Structure formats: structure tokens, C-alpha cells
């Protein structure tokens, strides 16, 4: 049985910040796609890098279309607060963290993998056409432990009307690549 290799986090993070692509990282550190995903997760859990640093680095997506854990469409951080309400229980409130052409990341609404939910999104500061409704299927979920236990989940948008899609597109255009 092969002993586990130690990878210095500071070296790995330095390579990410220097612009190294996913495949280069995997080759240099001799790690599998699953190992790379675990390292990324540990970096985020240790708060050594923030999610936005990963999202803003297109080179992490280059050459990796076949790696199933990487996003096909990059996420953009939401600049203005967007509150989400669970259509099945309007007393359940969450917040939109980031968006892509095909999905959203939601904080604060308890869910489980595969669950289909209807959402009402309210963009702040409020104004005309500042809300939209959509349906999404949970693709991943995790429970954040600090400072309190909060659910964070990714939803693939499965249904949105053409009118609602226009409001969502405006949100996408305003969102940053931070």
C-alpha cells in the first residue's frame, strides 16, 4: 500500500494564484480528479482562499471539459442582495450567493440532493421587475459550520418562464466575476 503524499498547501495555493490550470495541477502533484476536488474543498474549508478566487480564474476550467466536477458555465458572485423564498414554504428564507447561466448557489434553505424546489427570488434594492420565479433541482448540498450551521446548496434551474428569464438575465449581467 502506497503512503499518502503530503502536499504543501501554500505551494498548491501559490500555483493556483500563479495561473496554473487544472490539468497542470493534477500532473505536477500527481493527483486524480477526485483528489483535486478534495484539495479544493479543504482550501475553502480552511478559508485559505475564498470561493470567488476560484470562480474568477478561467484557467481552472481550461482543458477540463471531461472532468465532471468542474462547472460547464462559470459562476458569478451576486453583487446586490437577492433573497430567496421556498415556494413550498414561504417562511423558509435564503440568500443567493452566486449564479450561472444554468444554476444558482443558495444559502440558508434546507434541502437534500435531487430535491426539486420552486423559488421566489427578490432582488434588493427593490424596484420594478425586481423579482422572478423559477424551479430548480438540488445538485449538491453541504452544511457550513461557522459561525452557525447553515445549508449551502447548488440548484440547476429546471424551469423558468421567458418573462422570468429576462429578469434573471439582468441579474446575470449585473453579477461580477469576483
Amino acid at each position: 500500500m502506497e503512503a499518502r503524499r503530503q502536499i504543501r498547501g501554500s505551494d498548491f495555493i501559490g500555483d493556483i494564484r500563479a495561473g496554473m490550470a487544472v490539468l497542470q495541477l493534477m500532473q505536477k502533484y500527481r493527483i486524480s480528479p477526485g483528489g483535486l476536488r478534495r484539495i479544493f474543498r479543504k482550501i475553502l474549508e480552511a478559508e485559505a482562499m475564498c470561493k470567488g478566487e476560484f470562480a474568477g480564474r478561467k484557467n481552472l476550467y481550461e482543458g477540463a471539459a471531461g472532468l465532471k466536477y468542474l462547472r460547464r458555465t462559470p459562476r458569478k458572485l451576486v453583487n446586490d442582495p437577492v433573497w430567496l423564498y421556498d415556494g413550498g414554504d414561504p417562511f423558509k428564507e435564503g440568500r443567493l450567493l452566486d449564479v450561472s447561466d444554468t444554476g444558482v448557489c443558495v444559502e440558508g434553505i434546507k434541502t437534500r440532493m435531487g430535491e426539486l424546489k420552486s423559488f421566489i427570488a427578490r432582488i434588493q434594492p427593490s424596484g420594478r421587475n425586481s423579482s422572478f420565479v423559477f424551479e430548480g433541482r438540488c445538485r449538491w448540498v453541504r452544511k457550513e459550520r461557522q459561525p452557525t450551521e447553515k445549508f449551502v446548496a447548488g440548484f440547476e434551474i429546471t424551469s423558468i418562464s421567458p418573462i422570468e428569464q429576462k429578469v434573471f438575465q439582468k441579474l446575470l449581467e449585473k453579477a461580477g466575476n469576483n
Side-chain angles (χ1 to χ4, degrees), residues 27-107:
Q27 289 171 345
K28 178 177 181 179
Y29 293 99
R30 298 180 320 214
I31 53 178
S32 67
L36 185 65
R37 185 174 60 240
R38 283 188 293 279
I39 291 171
F40 283 170
R41 190 177 307 123
K42 285 181 181 182
I43 289 171
L44 290 171
E45 287 172 357
E47 297 180 0
M49 288 179 75
C50 70
K51 191 175 182 180
E53 285 183 275
F54 285 104
R57 299 189 183 283
K58 291 181 183 177
N59 62 329
L60 290 178
Y61 302 100
E62 288 174 8
L67 301 177
K68 65 181 179 183
Y69 65 91
L70 292 174
R71 300 189 191 287
R72 289 194 175 105
T73 57
R75 296 246 178 213
K76 296 179 176 184
L77 297 177
V78 176
N79 297 324
D80 295 329
V82 178
W83 298 104
L84 286 178
Y85 302 93
D86 184 336
D89 183 351
F91 293 106
K92 289 184 182 175
E93 178 182 86
R95 188 170 62 98
L96 203 61
L97 297 179
D98 58 46
V99 294
S100 75
D101 291 334
T102 59
V104 297
C105 179
V106 177
E107 175 186 63

Side-chain angles (χ1 to χ4, degrees), residues 66-156:
L67 301 177
K68 65 181 179 183
Y69 65 91
L70 292 174
R71 300 189 191 287
R72 289 194 175 105
T73 57
R75 296 246 178 213
K76 296 179 176 184
L77 297 177
V78 176
N79 297 324
D80 295 329
V82 178
W83 298 104
L84 286 178
Y85 302 93
D86 184 336
D89 183 351
F91 293 106
K92 289 184 182 175
E93 178 182 86
R95 188 170 62 98
L96 203 61
L97 297 179
D98 58 46
V99 294
S100 75
D101 291 334
T102 59
V104 297
C105 179
V106 177
E107 175 186 63
I109 294 181
K110 188 175 179 177
T111 189
R112 62 184 183 281
M113 291 259 307
E115 187 173 6
L116 191 64
K117 286 195 172 284
S118 294
F119 291 105
I120 301 163
R122 184 125 185 100
I123 302 168
Q124 299 294 327
S126 61
R128 209 168 119 211
N129 295 329
S130 64
S131 63
F132 60 97
V133 177
F134 67 98
E135 186 176 82
R137 182 169 309 280
C138 181
R139 293 295 179 200
W140 58 268
V141 65
R142 72 174 181 267
K143 197 185 301 185
E144 303 268 320
R145 292 187 182 95
Q146 296 176 2
T148 61
E149 289 190 351
K150 279 188 181 172
F151 283 87
V152 176
F155 286 86
E156 176 184 14

